[in-house]
Amino acid sequence: MRITTCGASGGEVTGSCYLVETARARVLVDCGAFQGHGPKDDALNADLGPVAPASLDAVVLTHAHLDHCGRLPILARRGLACPVHCTEATIDFATLVIEDAARIQESDTARENKYRRREGKPDIEPPFTRDDAARLRPLARGVPYLEWREIAPGVSVRFSDAGHILGSSHVEMRLEEAGATRTVVFSADIGRWNTPFLRDPTLLTSTKADVVFMESTYGDRDHRSQDETIREFREIIEKAIWAKEKILIPAFAIGRTQHILFHLAEMVRSGVLPEFPIYLDSPMAIKATELYAKHQDLFDQHAADLARRRQFSRDLRHLEFLESVEQSQALNDRHECCIVIAGSGMCEGGRIVHHLRHNLWRKGVSVVMVGYASAGSLGRQLIDRAPEVQIHRRTIPVRATIHTLGGFSAHAGQTELLRWLEPLAAHKPRVFLTHGEDKPRTALAAAIKSRFGVEASLPGRFETIEF
Ligand SMILES: [Zn+2]
Ligand SMILES: [Zn+2]
């Protein structure tokens, strides 16, 4: 039996993908897109390495973030025909994410071809289209949490709630080959304890894993506490109200956006904030918010109670959904105090880029970074306090105040990662750290060694692990 890391390895956070091979089956766990390398992303995404889509027996999808599902339409384009197993919520969210990515690929390619034709160059094809995305839909199979399913000869999986986004999963995989059985655990993205809407990550207390693949995004640090973060967030908003200024929040459409709305609703409800305009300027985030309502059965107790009482819509009476581009553009000429939540979270595309172009040079404007931004992305440049940035081939000076609120992260910090690993570490599995830059994963490996006496390896891209 062997597993090859085909992404989110070698110090990469994005592009999650594992190829699992036994004598009887070939299964893929996730097939995410590489993000944040600019034009290099296309080449990275096109190189599937040893993954031959038509030869796969099954695909397992841990959750709907693009860095886990973004290459599935490329697989579909290249002959994927096997079932894709994930939770029902993940089917809904991933459909949304993949369709959106396909639409962006089509429009980017159309724009590129316009330039190419002027230069007398031949047209290029998009890496995938909405047709490829549509080919995935009939392959999707919904799997409930905590039930074992045989997905290929000698390969069974069980999903459990990872507390990262709605529908996200840890995956336990049982592999049988020539009378031997091995258990592999894929942590996928591990969420945090006490996050709005979400249940806590699942501790796999009864699992005796031989091999564990574990994420390490924030392996070298703990986030600020949620309470502290909420207080900081409130202070930023209070200041902006006083200065009558705009607040821009780049946020992932799924998860982060709803968490921000949750905290804003709490602040309004408890009377610490006056009611003021909030714009959700992202058609995708609007749809995702509707899907949150559809999958209320996955909410934790507190959110389920609030939802039952329809409390969110009462608190957020001043929340406006901006569907059209015209509505979004109209915000550029308005300089009153308001909050604009728009995607993408890393500021690599989407409507937030236009808001940043029109507002970054303005003193008084606040930009609140609430999530991870990979090296090289516009979001990371802002977090790293770049004095000026390039947007749409223009140099924009950064005079706005950039706030980074790490406490809203959807990823476990070091202490939480160790808490998650603890029950598995008791059985001394082989541990492989993925989904992290080298600094955090090296630090996490050291923490695992000193805490549990377990040696953790740091696999490279296309490295094969035999067991
Ligand atoms: Zn994720
Ligand atoms: Zn991820």
Side-chain angles (χ1 to χ4, degrees):
M1 307 182 203
R2 55 190 190 161
I3 295 179
T4 306
T5 49
C6 305
S9 48
E12 277 284 344
V13 174
T14 60
S16 271
C17 184
Y18 304 92
L19 175 64
V20 182
E21 294 170 286
T22 70
R24 295 155 71 198
R26 302 183 89 222
V27 173
L28 212 58
V29 178
D30 285 345
C31 201
F34 289 94
Q35 296 171 280
H37 308 85
K40 270 201 292 182
D41 281 339
D42 287 343
L44 284 166
N45 288 327
D47 180 9
L48 295 176
V51 180
S55 76
L56 294 170
D57 298 292
V59 176
V60 173
L61 178 59
T62 62
H63 67 289
H65 277 152
L66 202 60
D67 63 313
H68 294 258
C69 70
R71 280 189 285 167
L72 288 177
I74 296 179
L75 298 184
R77 196 179 180 82
R78 301 192 197 169
L80 185 80
C82 67
V84 178
H85 302 272
C86 56
T87 62
E88 290 286 350
T90 297
I91 295 178
D92 281 346
F93 287 121
T95 302
L96 187 63
V97 167
I98 291 170
E99 268 170 14
D100 184 67
R103 199 180 40 74
I104 292 169
Q105 293 289 359
E106 286 179 24
S107 69
D108 283 357
T109 307
R111 196 177 45 232
E112 176 70 21
N113 282 338
K114 222 159 61 180
Y115 292 125
R116 293 176 69 90
R117 274 174 220 155
R118 273 183 219 157
E119 294 163 7
K121 292 180 183 162
D123 279 6
I124 51 163
E125 289 273 303
F128 56 89
T129 63
R130 276 172 289 183
D131 288 343
D132 299 316
R135 255 175 235 139
L136 286 167
R137 193 64 189 80
L139 304 178
R141 304 281 183 278
V143 180
Y145 284 132
L146 304 177
E147 269 178 34
W148 281 102
R149 280 275 162 99
E150 183 166 28
I151 57 164
V155 183
S156 303
V157 291
R158 180 166 69 171
F159 292 80
S160 52
D161 200 329
H164 169 64
I165 59 170
L166 221 53
S168 66
S169 312
H170 310 300
V171 174
E172 295 164 78
M173 186 178 276
R174 246 187 236 146
L175 298 167
E176 286 164 34
E177 187 185 87
T181 303
R182 296 279 178 274
T183 301
V184 182
V185 171
F186 298 91
S187 76
D189 291 5
I190 304 172
R192 308 184 60 196
W193 277 258
N194 304 318
T195 303
F197 296 112
L198 302 176
R199 295 177 194 151
D200 294 339
T202 307
L203 295 175
L204 302 172
T205 47
S206 59
T207 305
K208 194 174 174 301
D210 299 288
V211 178
V212 177
F213 286 92
M214 183 182 179
E215 73 125 313
S216 55
T217 320
Y218 291 106
D220 58 343
R221 71 198 102 150
D222 279 329
H223 303 296
R224 279 222 205 163
S225 80
Q226 191 99 285
D227 289 349
E228 227 173 299
T229 306
I230 294 166
R231 201 188 53 229
E232 218 181 316
F233 187 39
R234 195 183 65 219
E235 283 166 7
I236 294 166
I237 297 167
E238 279 170 343
K239 232 190 229 164
I241 291 172
W242 195 74
K244 299 192 169 51
E245 271 296 355
K246 245 184 216 174
I247 303 169
L248 303 177
I249 307 181
F252 291 102
I254 300 174
R256 207 64 44 83
T257 293
Q258 292 76 28
H259 294 186
I260 295 295
L261 291 175
F262 181 96
H263 291 304
L264 290 171
E266 298 247 291
M267 287 183 209
V268 172
R269 192 182 320 136
S270 58
V272 293
L273 279 189
E275 295 186 358
F276 57 94
I278 302 167
Y279 300 103
L280 184 51
D281 185 18
S282 158
M284 189 163 150
I286 294 168
K287 283 188 202 131
T289 305
E290 287 161 3
L291 286 177
Y292 257 65
K294 177 182 169 189
H295 292 287
Q296 284 176 27
D297 57 313
L298 299 176
F299 285 4
D300 68 358
Q301 196 57 50
H302 178 51
D305 291 344
L306 292 170
R308 205 172 308 116
R309 301 203 305 264
R310 300 186 182 282
Q311 189 63 48
F312 293 117
S313 44
R314 279 209 287 270
D315 297 331
L316 295 174
R317 273 183 301 153
H318 294 268
L319 169 65
E320 228 183 284
F321 289 167
L322 305 185
E323 296 268 8
S324 74
V325 174
E326 291 72 30
Q327 285 174 307
S328 174
Q329 283 167 346
L331 278 185
N332 289 328
D333 303 323
R334 298 229 292 270
H335 296 302
E336 87 253 15
C337 169
C338 64
I339 291 184
V340 181
I341 304 170
S344 74
M346 298 196 201
C347 311
E348 281 295 87
R351 292 182 180 176
I352 194 68
V353 179
H354 297 270
H355 291 298
L356 290 171
R357 195 179 92 193
H358 287 280
N359 290 286
L360 272 181
W361 61 273
R362 292 179 51 227
K363 231 177 147 138
V365 166
S366 294
V367 180
V368 188
M369 301 299 299
V370 292
Y372 179 81
S374 65
S377 63
L378 176 56
R380 176 64 81 86
Q381 292 173 47
L382 294 176
I383 291 170
D384 291 344
R385 307 249 180 270
E388 56 182 40
V389 293
Q390 294 285 325
I391 301 179
H392 300 149
R393 299 177 192 206
R394 258 183 244 177
T395 305
I396 316 275
V398 183
R399 297 199 192 102
T401 310
I402 313 296
H403 305 268
T404 306
L405 292 184
F408 284 147
S409 173
H411 287 273
Q414 191 191 67
T415 303
E416 291 162 307
L417 288 168
L418 294 172
R419 178 176 180 183
W420 181 84
L421 184 64
E422 188 166 18
L424 293 165
H427 305 285
K428 306 283 180 227
R430 289 173 72 186
V431 175
F432 296 91
L433 300 181
T434 55
H435 201 294
E437 290 171 16
D438 277 332
K439 189 171 157 276
R441 64 178 189 156
T442 306
L444 184 61
I448 290 171
K449 172 90 179 144
S450 79
R451 176 86 175 269
F452 308 121
V454 171
E455 209 73 58
S457 310
L458 313 179
R461 188 167 179 222
F462 295 135
E463 189 168 320
T464 298
I465 293 127
E466 312 239 1
F467 50 93

